[in-house]
Amino acid sequence: MAIRVGRWDCPTCGTVGVAGPETRCPQCGASRPKDVQFYLPPESEVVEDEALIREARAGADWVCGHCHTQNKASASECFSCGNPRDEDSQDAALQEREYRPGEAPKAAPSRPRTLHPEEQPKPKRKRSWFLGLLLLVAILLGGGAIPRTVEVGIQAFSWERTHQIMHKEAVQHEEWQVPAGAFQVESFQAIHHYNKVFRGYETRTRTERVQVGTERVVCGTIDKGNGYFEDRYCNEPVYESRQVEYQEEVYDNVPVYDTKYRFRLWEWVARQEYLLRTSGNDQQPEWPVTSSYAGKEDFREGDKAERYWIDLALPGGEVQREEIPFGRWSQLDESSSVQGKRAWLWGWWYGLEK
C-alpha cells in the first residue's frame, strides 16, 4: 500500500504546505490547529523509508488535554507540558477519514480574509429611478390586465335547434352466439383462440459475464490523522465474456376453431341524413318539422338539442359572440344590456358575468 505525505496550512502565520507529520509550523512555531485539515496535493511524495512507514501506520496523532499541543501517536506523554497520555487528561485523538477515489482534498479549505478598512468596497448608489421604471412597467403589463365590470349592449340574437330522427334498420353482427330476434343467420368456422403447445427444445447461444478471479485495486484513500495518507485496496472481481449454450423451450400457437354466427338485428340507428336542423338570427326559435316521418313504422323521434347566442357590441366596433342558456336568452331583447368582464387598460374580453 502506497503511503504519501500530506500537507496542512498554518492559520497563524499563513504558511502554506507544511509537511503533514510536522506538529508545529516551521515558520512561526505554532502548533497544528485542533481542527487541522490535512490535504494531499497531486505531487505528494511516496514514503519509502521504513521508519516513516511505521510512523504513518502507528495511528492518529493526539491532542494534549492540558495544553492542547499535538503529539505523535507513539508518544506516551506530551512533549510540551510533560503530562502523560491517559483517560483522566481528556486527551483526544485526531480523526481518521476515508475518501473514495478522487475525493481526497487536494488543498486546504479556503479561509475568509479580513479586508483592511481601505479595501472595503464602496456601497453602490441605489438606482431608485430604474426600480421605479421597472415597477411602472410591471403595473402596465400586469395591472392593465385586471378585469373590470362593463355594461355592453346586445347587437343581435341567433339560435339553432336539432332533432334526430331514428331509422329502423337491419344491422349485421358477428358473434359466437345467436341472440333472440336475430334473422338471416349463417354460420362459419373462425379462430376462437390460440393454445400454446410445447414443441420441444432448441439449442441457443447467449453471452454471459463469468467471474474468472479477483484483483486488488485502489478503491480509496485513508487520511491517517497524523499527516500521512495511505491508499486503500479492495478485492474486485474480474470478469470475461463467454458464449454459453442453453436449451430453450419452444411452443407453437395452435389455433382453436369454433362456430361463429353472422346475423342481422333490427335496431334504431341515428344517421346524419336524418338529423333535422333549424336556425335563425331572431328571437323566434322553432323546432324542425317532423310531420313527414309521422306514422311511419321505420322512423321515430330521437334526441333534441338547442343552442342560443347573443352578439355583443364592444367599444371600438368589435363584436363578441357569447352562448347562453335559453332561459336567460329569452328574457333579453335588443334594448337590453349585459354585464361582462374586460381588462381595464388593454381591453381584453374575459366573458359575461355569471
Side-chain angles (χ1 to χ4, degrees):
M1 294 185 178
I3 297 177
R4 294 176 173 82
V5 178
R7 294 287 187 271
W8 60 277
D9 294 348
C10 178
T12 303
C13 65
T15 299
V16 176
V18 179
E22 296 287 345
T23 59
R24 290 185 177 276
C25 175
Q27 186 69 26
C28 67
S31 179
R32 279 190 314 213
K34 189 163 56 175
D35 59 346
V36 62
Q37 172 69 70
F38 296 112
Y39 58 93
L40 189 65
E43 67 279 2
S44 297
E45 63 271 21
V46 176
V47 177
E48 296 180 348
D49 183 78
E50 290 297 330
L52 295 181
I53 292 176
R54 287 193 298 271
E55 179 181 286
R57 292 177 175 171
D61 292 345
W62 58 280
V63 181
C64 176
H66 292 276
C67 66
H68 307 297
T69 298
Q70 295 194 17
N71 300 273
K72 295 294 183 182
S74 58
S76 59
E77 61 182 30
C78 177
F79 80 89
S80 179
C81 67
N83 274 284
R85 183 181 184 182
D86 52 36
E87 295 181 0
D88 296 335
S89 301
Q90 296 183 346
D91 303 320
L94 297 184
Q95 183 181 2
E96 288 193 14
R97 295 182 175 89
E98 288 194 11
Y99 298 99
R100 290 185 293 184
E103 292 187 355
K106 297 179 177 58
S110 60
R111 297 175 181 267
R113 175 172 170 261
T114 303
L115 297 179
H116 189 273
E118 295 182 357
E119 297 179 299
Q120 296 289 342
K122 296 180 180 180
K124 296 182 179 179
R125 296 179 59 187
K126 294 182 179 180
R127 298 182 178 180
S128 56
W129 63 271
F130 182 69
L131 296 177
L133 180 61
L134 288 179
L135 181 60
L136 178 61
V137 171
I139 292 175
L140 292 178
L141 292 179
I146 296 175
R148 63 186 177 94
T149 301
V150 294
E151 197 89 11
V152 290
I154 299 176
Q155 189 177 73
F157 293 83
S158 56
W159 56 272
E160 179 186 76
R161 286 181 173 180
T162 59
H163 193 165
Q164 180 68 59
I165 302 298
M166 310 295 290
H167 184 222
K168 193 174 186 179
E169 301 178 3
V171 181
Q172 180 173 289
H173 297 273
E174 288 186 1
E175 298 291 345
W176 299 105
Q177 294 180 343
V178 180
F183 61 96
Q184 294 184 6
V185 180
E186 58 182 54
S187 62
F188 59 96
Q189 292 295 301
I191 297 176
H192 187 274
H193 63 277
Y194 290 87
N195 285 340
K196 294 186 69 175
V197 179
F198 177 68
R199 175 157 57 88
Y201 294 91
E202 288 185 359
T203 301
R204 300 185 179 178
T205 304
R206 64 187 173 208
T207 302
E208 292 185 354
R209 295 180 72 237
V210 181
Q211 183 176 347
V212 295
T214 60
E215 63 178 350
R216 287 178 60 78
V217 297
V218 176
C219 57
T221 305
I222 303 173
D223 176 352
K224 304 296 288 183
N226 53 20
Y228 295 97
F229 286 80
E230 184 174 12
D231 291 338
R232 183 166 66 89
Y233 284 82
C234 301
N235 290 325
E236 290 191 355
V238 178
Y239 295 92
E240 68 177 26
S241 296
R242 294 179 180 176
Q243 295 297 312
V244 179
E245 291 186 348
Y246 67 99
Q247 298 295 311
E248 185 173 281
E249 295 179 347
V250 180
Y251 293 85
D252 291 330
N253 287 324
V254 179
V256 177
Y257 289 84
D258 199 354
T259 301
K260 199 171 189 179
Y261 301 92
R262 185 179 294 116
F263 53 87
R264 292 179 181 273
L265 286 172
W266 288 109
E267 297 178 358
W268 292 103
V269 180
R271 294 194 178 277
Q272 187 66 28
E273 58 263 34
Y274 300 129
L275 179 63
L276 307 181
R277 188 188 309 272
T278 54
S279 61
N281 295 317
D282 52 33
Q283 279 190 286
Q284 304 298 323
E286 55 186 26
W287 291 105
V289 178
T290 60
S291 56
S292 59
Y293 298 98
K296 295 183 178 181
E297 294 184 355
D298 55 342
F299 288 97
R300 74 176 185 185
E301 295 185 4
D303 294 335
K304 293 181 177 181
E306 53 188 326
R307 300 179 69 184
Y308 303 91
W309 298 272
I310 54 175
D311 289 350
L312 304 177
L314 302 182
E318 180 184 355
V319 177
Q320 178 68 39
R321 173 161 290 192
E322 294 285 341
E323 183 175 357
I324 61 175
F326 174 74
R328 186 178 182 184
W329 183 86
S330 61
Q331 295 176 358
L332 300 172
D333 55 43
E334 292 187 354
S335 63
S336 303
S337 61
V338 293
Q339 290 184 336
K341 291 288 188 179
R342 199 176 190 192
W344 71 272
L345 181 60
W346 306 117
W348 299 328
W349 177 256
Y350 292 108
L352 293 174
E353 290 274 16
K354 300 298 182 182

